[in-house]
């Protein structure tokens, strides 16, 4: 499988504390990789390093065959490496369609000149409507975000970066606060309707991760302690001892 993301020897210290220590793995094109591990394992720190928000102390990141090491976060996004938008990018007083259209315009470089009402705005609204339709949310397109349920808002959060048609989407606990059924629906949509977008997914519900991911990487104390298919990881003695024993059973 061709790798879209290649991590090698990533290290990150906060003072004397090693939050990441020699982290290395690949994500293949279109592959869904789950990243699991107890609180404090370093998952969010790794996302911040991959996206360029935190400089690593060691290691290298290649994306789509290109070194990301010197690229600012926005340049990485332009290469097709997306993460969920920061909450500040979401406007509760605008509709679902308007929020996603804004993300489309942002990507196209139109920024917040979105209120201009140009042809580009119409095209963005169309893309937004299509994304909402694919997610089974067409009937909610004109609903204000502040009037949507927690599950629907989480869905919108995940749809916004898809407006960029990314080659890899990093999702840090997108299913937090969702029911099992809502989580399954969200992951099902991401995988079915956006099969070309690879996923790196952090989620606490390992049944969701095992059920929707092709491969799973297990971290503990800043290190990768296991990696494989869901079946392999389930059987891995080191992983079971360090992590799964306390989570499964
Ligand atoms: P996870 O997402 O797996 O729960 P994090 O990446 O958030 O773990 O955190 C890994 C470790 O690094 C934790 O012990 C956390 O306290 C520490 N950490 C994270 N960010 C910082 C920071 N900016 N300064 C100091 N310590 C941090
Ligand atoms: Mg985290």
């Amino acid at each position: 499988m061709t790798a879209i993301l290649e991590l090698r020897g990533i290290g990150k210290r906060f003072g004397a504390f090693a939050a990441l220590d020699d982290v290395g793995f690949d994500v293949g094109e279109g592959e869904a990789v789950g990243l699991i591990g107890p609180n404090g394992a370093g998952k969010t720190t790794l996302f911040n390093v991959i996206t360029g928000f935190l400089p690593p102390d060691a290691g290298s990141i290649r994306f789509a065959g290109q070194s990301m090491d010197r690229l600012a976060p926005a340049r990485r996004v332009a290469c097709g490496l997306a993460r969920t938008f920061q909450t500040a990018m979401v406007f509760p007083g605008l509709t679902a369609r308007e929020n996603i259209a804004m993300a489309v315009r942002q990507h196209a470089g139109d920024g917040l000149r979105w209120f201009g009402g140009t042809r580009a705005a119409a095209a963005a609204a169309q893309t937004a409507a299509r994304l909402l339709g694919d997610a089974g949310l067409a009937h909610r397109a004109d609903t204000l975000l502040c009037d949507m349920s927690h599950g629907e808002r989480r869905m919108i959060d995940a749809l916004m970066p898809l407006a960029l048609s990314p080659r890899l989407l990093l999702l840090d606990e997108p299913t937090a606060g969702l029911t099992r059924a809502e989580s399954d629906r969200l992951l099902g949509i991401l995988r079915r309707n956006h099969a070309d977008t690879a996923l790196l997914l952090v989620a606490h519900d390992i049944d969701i991760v095992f059920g929707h991911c092709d491969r799973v990487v297990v971290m503990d104390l800043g290190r990768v302690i296991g990696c494989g298919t869901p079946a392999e990881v389930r059987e891995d003695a080191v992983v079971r001892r360090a992590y799964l024993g306390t989570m499964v059973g």
Side-chain angles (χ1 to χ4, degrees):
M1 180 185 290
T2 313
I4 186 75
L5 178 71
E6 301 161 77
L7 304 176
R8 296 290 178 272
I10 303 288
K12 180 67 193 175
R13 294 186 156 275
F14 296 112
F17 175 74
L20 297 174
D21 180 11
D22 194 23
V23 171
F25 61 86
D26 288 354
V27 176
E29 282 182 1
E31 188 184 30
V33 173
L35 182 59
I36 63 173
N39 276 331
K43 306 178 296 293
T44 298
T45 302
L46 183 62
F47 272 27
N48 285 330
V49 166
I50 294 170
T51 50
F53 286 94
L54 273 181
D57 304 318
S60 68
I61 302 165
R62 290 179 72 78
F63 180 72
Q66 186 189 342
S67 171
M68 295 287 110
D69 297 336
R70 291 166 183 279
L71 293 190
R75 299 289 308 281
R76 299 186 194 202
V77 174
C79 291
L81 204 177
R83 75 183 310 177
T84 358
F85 276 54
Q86 305 295 307
T87 25
M89 289 303 302
V90 179
F91 297 86
L94 295 182
T95 67
R97 192 209 323 266
E98 287 166 341
N99 268 282
I100 296 175
M102 191 106 73
V104 176
R105 294 295 301 275
Q106 190 85 10
H107 179 53
D110 293 338
L112 295 174
R113 285 191 287 110
W114 174 80
F115 294 99
T118 60
R119 219 180 324 155
Q126 227 167 36
T127 303
R130 178 176 52 76
L131 284 167
L132 283 162
D134 288 349
L137 286 171
H139 62 296
R140 302 291 274 164
D142 295 317
T143 305
L144 300 183
L145 230 56
C146 57
D147 291 334
M148 295 185 112
S149 71
H150 178 73
E152 287 173 330
R153 288 191 58 152
R154 284 280 163 169
M155 196 78 79
I156 303 295
D157 286 344
L159 291 179
M160 299 228 338
L162 289 173
L164 318 178
S165 301
R167 298 182 69 182
L168 172 67
L169 176 57
L170 306 184
L171 293 168
D172 195 355
E173 304 194 27
T175 56
L178 297 193
T179 64
R180 172 66 56 79
E182 286 172 327
S183 303
D184 275 328
R185 207 164 89 78
L186 174 59
L187 269 302
I189 286 161
L190 290 170
R191 300 240 51 203
R192 255 196 329 278
N193 297 341
H194 304 276
D196 292 341
T197 296
L199 294 181
L200 185 58
L201 167 75
V202 172
H204 275 297
D205 185 336
I206 56 168
D207 289 333
I208 290 293
V209 173
F210 285 5
H212 291 277
C213 292
D214 304 306
R215 251 169 355 106
V216 178
V217 173
V218 189
M219 287 182 67
D220 190 23
L221 302 173
R223 300 186 61 91
V224 173
I225 60 162
C227 182
T229 63
E232 287 165 352
V233 165
R234 251 186 220 284
E235 295 309 315
D236 187 301
V238 176
V239 172
R240 289 185 76 88
R241 224 176 9 254
Y243 178 49
L244 291 181
T246 60
M247 303 291 290
V248 184

